[in-house]
Amino acid sequence: MIPTRRTLLAVALATLLPLTACGGGSGSSGSSSSAGGTYTFWDPYPQFDASSDWGKRVAACGTAAGVKLKRAAYDTTDLGNKALLAAQQGNAPDVMLVDNPVVSTLVEAGILNRTSDLGLDTSSVQKNIIGAGTIDGAAYGVPIGANTLALYYNKKVLSAAGVDPASITDWASLTAALKKVKAAGKKGITFSAINTEEGSFQFLPWFWGAGGDLTALDSAKGVAALTLWKQWVDAGYAPKDVLQNTQTTSWQEFATGDYAFSENGTWQLGNADKAGFPYGVVNIPGQNGGSAPVPTGGEFVTVPVQKDTSRYDVSKKIVGCLTSDANLLPTDTTLMYVAPTAAVQAEQVKKNPELKPWVAAVAAARGRTSGGLGTKYPTISQPMWTAVQAALSGSKSPQDALAAAQAAAGKG
């Protein structure tokens, strides 16, 4: 029996809900206005209001397309679920910016248009970046930019502890540096281990850096990564509040100037410049050396399926305004993202040399839904962040926590 589109939507919603934690209002702003009038645009940036650079950028793209763009912003954890519900109700937005792991779920539900069907060109986008939004060889959105993770470090704290950041090449040397920092009276490393996708996102470099495979969470390699984090918390090298830390609150801890390291992303560069102390950036090390694979972050601009297909011409203009080579630089400068194309990346580094290590990190990053995982990723991610919580809180050993995670993921 071939499932109907409504059935697919229900299945997709059930898949997506565990990945996200709903919050905020329940109203939606579907596209009910006629073409040429008002178009709707959803994004995951509630921190940016209409007066912000981003808010102005979106409004300007509506003006350039000859329409008024009605923007609604939701938390990342809420946006995907609202998109599925809106599609069920027949009032999906005209253009939607979604976190890259959500794309495959929305595609499976049948609510996104292929970029090729819309005439949007993604040929210049780096393969590892477009890969997160590509299903069965077809792209279903255009990356607005990419971000990933690295280690920020406080130069003053490391200098006082006698630590050369260039010496940090593997887990052993990083742990040794944390020990020296603590002995010098400062704090070691802060990160996010919260029980949401942010926790999984931050754990993945260590999991992959040990050689872990997401289809085998309880392998010895995965256990080694979780054991490392557990040892840091137990030794006082990382604070116990990593269990509640979002990437934002984790950064706020680093910004106090007391910590040596913060695992965080490109999006904190502006805040780093305002922190009031000299900082540097190093790649997250692999267990036995080299740079650990890091997850590709960032969003895709997508065009949901509409009953009135005549709306797509304007929607395409809005997408192009945000993502064309001519416009990516101002868009990604506004968001502090690394551009998804090599040409624009070169322009970014020329204007801001601090982005150079981030461009290299993004080039080597890995999509969370890559490797054929697609919509299976949410059913793996939730058990993984649950295991991290259990191990760091002491309720289970890393081995037992990941064994339970693998069992749960196998049922997903």
Side-chain angles (χ1 to χ4, degrees), residues 110-122:
I111 66 173
L112 294 184
N113 283 291
R114 295 180 183 179
T115 52
S116 59
D117 291 343
L118 297 168
L120 292 165
D121 182 16
T122 58

Side-chain angles (χ1 to χ4, degrees), residues 262-349:
S262 171
E263 179 184 352
N264 229 296
T266 331
W267 56 89
Q268 299 292 5
L269 275 172
N271 290 327
D273 291 335
K274 300 173 185 176
F277 53 80
Y279 73 92
V281 178
V282 294
N283 289 341
I284 296 172
Q287 181 179 20
N288 299 314
S291 296
V294 286
T296 305
E299 290 80 35
F300 276 61
V301 192
T302 64
V303 177
V305 172
Q306 302 289 342
K307 291 180 181 178
D308 181 2
T309 58
S310 68
R311 299 182 71 83
Y312 295 153
D313 286 342
V314 171
S315 296
K316 176 183 173 182
K317 291 178 182 178
I318 295 167
V319 175
C321 179
L322 291 168
T323 63
S324 69
D325 281 349
N327 294 325
L328 270 174
L329 185 59
T331 294
D332 288 325
T333 299
T334 298
L335 294 172
M336 197 56 75
Y337 276 10
V338 172
T341 68
V344 181
Q345 287 173 1
E347 290 183 64
Q348 287 183 296
V349 172

Side-chain angles (χ1 to χ4, degrees), residues 93-250:
D94 291 289
V95 180
M96 183 167 58
L97 196 58
V98 296
D99 194 19
N100 68 65
V102 178
V103 173
S104 59
T105 300
L106 300 181
V107 170
E108 186 174 78
I111 66 173
L112 294 184
N113 283 291
R114 295 180 183 179
T115 52
S116 59
D117 291 343
L118 297 168
L120 292 165
D121 182 16
T122 58
S123 61
S124 63
V125 179
Q126 289 180 343
K127 292 187 185 304
N128 66 322
I129 298 176
I130 193 67
T134 301
I135 293 87
D136 295 331
Y140 285 83
V142 183
I144 200 166
N147 55 53
T148 194
L149 297 166
L151 294 179
Y152 287 87
Y153 64 86
N154 185 320
K155 292 183 178 181
K156 285 185 177 180
V157 172
L158 290 191
S159 179
V163 174
D164 179 357
S167 69
I168 299 164
T169 57
D170 54 19
W171 289 3
S173 55
L174 177 54
T175 301
L178 296 175
K179 184 177 181 179
K180 287 184 178 180
V181 167
K182 185 181 178 185
K186 290 291 186 179
K187 299 176 181 179
I189 185 169
T190 179
F191 51 87
S192 171
I194 195 170
N195 58 338
T196 70
E197 178 58 23
E198 287 187 58
S200 291
F201 188 70
Q202 291 238 320
F203 182 60
L204 279 172
W206 311 96
F207 182 84
W208 284 335
D213 185 326
L214 287 173
T215 62
L217 294 175
D218 59 345
S219 71
K221 295 172 181 178
V223 172
L226 189 48
T227 299
L228 177 73
W229 271 18
K230 171 69 170 168
Q231 290 173 342
W232 285 352
V233 171
D234 288 350
Y237 301 156
K240 294 187 186 304
D241 64 11
V242 295
L243 285 163
Q244 294 82 42
N245 268 348
T246 64
Q247 293 180 114
T248 298
T249 56
S250 171

